[in-house]
């Protein structure tokens, strides 16, 4: 059973921080590029950040540059998204996704495996 499970979401005040985790079950992420996406009510799903299989290449959406950091631990089979200085506009359901065979990574929707998402709410 191939699964990606996101965790770490919750309610946080503006300016606060959260760390999201994306854990793989039933397969290894060793060969996969991983992307983080988010979808807010009434908006399209959009790419947030991605990391390639080796961890040596990352990309960030302009809206989160300088605030979010993506990382991976292939031994733990987990990818993380550290979110700092959170804003109300960061409120969304956050999804992780995996795509094998990429040397780099991208913020487009063409990933093969998707998690169920974790809710992040930034509000006073």
């Amino acid at each position: 059973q191939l699964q990606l499970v996101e965790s770490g979401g919750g309610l946080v005040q503006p300016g606060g921080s959260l760390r999201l985790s994306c854990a793989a079950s039933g397969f290894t992420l060793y060969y996969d590029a991983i992307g983080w996406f988010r979808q807010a009510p009434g908006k399209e799903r959009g790419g947030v950040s991605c990391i390639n299989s080796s961890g040596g290449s990352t990309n960030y959406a302009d809206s989160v540059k300088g605030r979010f950091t993506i990382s991976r631990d292939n031994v733990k089979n987990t990818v993380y998204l550290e979110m700092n200085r959170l804003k109300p506009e960061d409120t969304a359901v956050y999804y992780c996704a995996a795509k094998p065979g990429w040397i780099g990574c991208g913020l487009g929707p063409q990933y093969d495996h998707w998690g169920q998402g974790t809710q992040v709410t930034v509000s006073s």
Side-chain angles (χ1 to χ4, degrees):
Q1 296 180 2
L2 307 181
Q3 286 188 302
L4 291 172
V5 180
E6 302 95 336
S7 62
L11 175 65
V12 65
Q13 296 184 86
S17 299
L18 286 173
R19 188 176 78 161
L20 305 183
S21 298
C22 174
S25 178
F27 69 104
T28 179
L29 297 179
Y30 189 82
Y31 302 103
D32 292 11
I34 304 296
W36 282 98
F37 297 79
R38 65 186 182 186
Q39 187 168 25
K43 296 184 178 180
E44 297 290 330
R45 183 183 64 197
V48 175
S49 183
C50 67
I51 187 167
N52 74 339
S53 58
S54 71
S57 180
T58 60
N59 288 297
Y60 297 91
D62 288 342
S63 58
V64 307
K65 285 181 179 177
R67 299 189 296 120
F68 291 11
T69 302
I70 191 170
S71 62
R72 68 189 299 156
D73 187 336
N74 285 342
V75 174
K76 295 182 178 180
N77 216 23
T78 301
V79 175
Y80 305 97
L81 184 68
E82 182 73 33
M83 305 185 297
N84 300 309
R85 303 192 302 279
L86 284 161
K87 305 175 181 179
E89 50 263 45
D90 295 319
T91 296
V93 176
Y94 284 71
Y95 303 87
C96 67
K99 186 175 183 66
W102 279 12
I103 300 300
C105 74
L107 298 179
Q110 300 301 318
Y111 285 78
D112 298 318
H113 308 292
W114 294 80
Q116 294 299 307
T118 185
Q119 177 72 47
V120 172
T121 302
V122 185
S123 180
S124 299

